Amino acid sequence: MSDETIEPAADVASSHTTGRKSGRIEIVGRVSGRRRWTVEQKLAILRDAFGPDGSVRTAVERHEVGSGAIYTWRRQAMSGALSGVPARPQATFAEVRISEPPVMLPAPPVEAPADARTAGQIGIELPSGVRLTVDGAVDAEALSRVIGVLTR
């Protein structure tokens, strides 16, 4: 910020004052041209603007920076572009491929005793010699998975 003080040539009261004479005139102007901010300065300004008890307006006035620059720096800081450290990646979709279910060999027919048929039970004998007896109300998908594991 450049402050210049201009001393008036003569103490002359003007018609728009109340008779009070001022010995000094202060001209406050903005710095001309573009300013360059270091990463540390930008982060300090962001802490001032968005930290506890922070205010963008206060930071704009204190550091003489535009509010647009503050929000741009905040976006850059959140993405990691400001500090050069990339931010953690956001959640993304993963490609999933569903394969065909394994081919199931049909179980050899087993002659079940007459009392098993009437009780609603199913007897299964696998080629490996494993025998299963299940209730007639068994979940077909669950049974298929169990048989798939046992035939491996």
Side-chain angles (χ1 to χ4, degrees):
M1 178 172 187
S2 65
D3 295 338
E4 298 176 20
T5 304
I6 300 175
E7 297 292 333
D11 288 336
V12 179
S14 68
S15 61
H16 70 275
T17 63
T18 60
R20 208 173 109 225
K21 294 182 184 179
S22 172
R24 297 177 62 160
I25 298 174
E26 183 179 30
I27 299 173
V28 179
R30 289 206 154 216
V31 175
S32 62
R34 276 188 110 143
R35 291 183 68 177
R36 301 284 180 196
W37 300 93
T38 65
V39 173
E40 292 79 20
Q41 289 172 324
K42 291 176 184 179
L43 292 174
I45 293 169
L46 288 175
R47 280 190 296 272
D48 193 26
F50 299 107
D53 301 323
S55 164
V56 174
R57 181 179 173 152
T58 305
V60 164
E61 293 169 356
R62 182 176 301 142
H63 301 286
E64 295 180 358
V65 63
S67 62
I70 290 179
Y71 287 105
T72 298
W73 296 341
R74 180 178 73 165
R75 187 181 68 250
Q76 291 172 344
M78 291 172 68
S79 71
L82 186 64
S83 63
V85 178
R88 290 188 356 211
Q90 297 288 334
T92 57
F93 289 101
E95 182 179 344
V96 176
R97 293 186 182 164
I98 300 174
S99 64
E100 294 295 320
V103 177
M104 302 300 295
L105 298 175
V110 176
E111 188 70 32
D115 59 336
R117 279 185 240 145
T118 58
Q121 291 186 342
I122 302 171
I124 302 170
E125 183 174 342
L126 299 175
S128 63
V130 175
R131 293 182 184 185
L132 297 173
T133 304
V134 294
D135 187 9
V138 68
D139 183 1
E141 288 183 51
L143 180 61
S144 174
R145 287 193 302 264
V146 169
I147 292 174
V149 169
L150 291 175
T151 57
R152 288 186 192 163

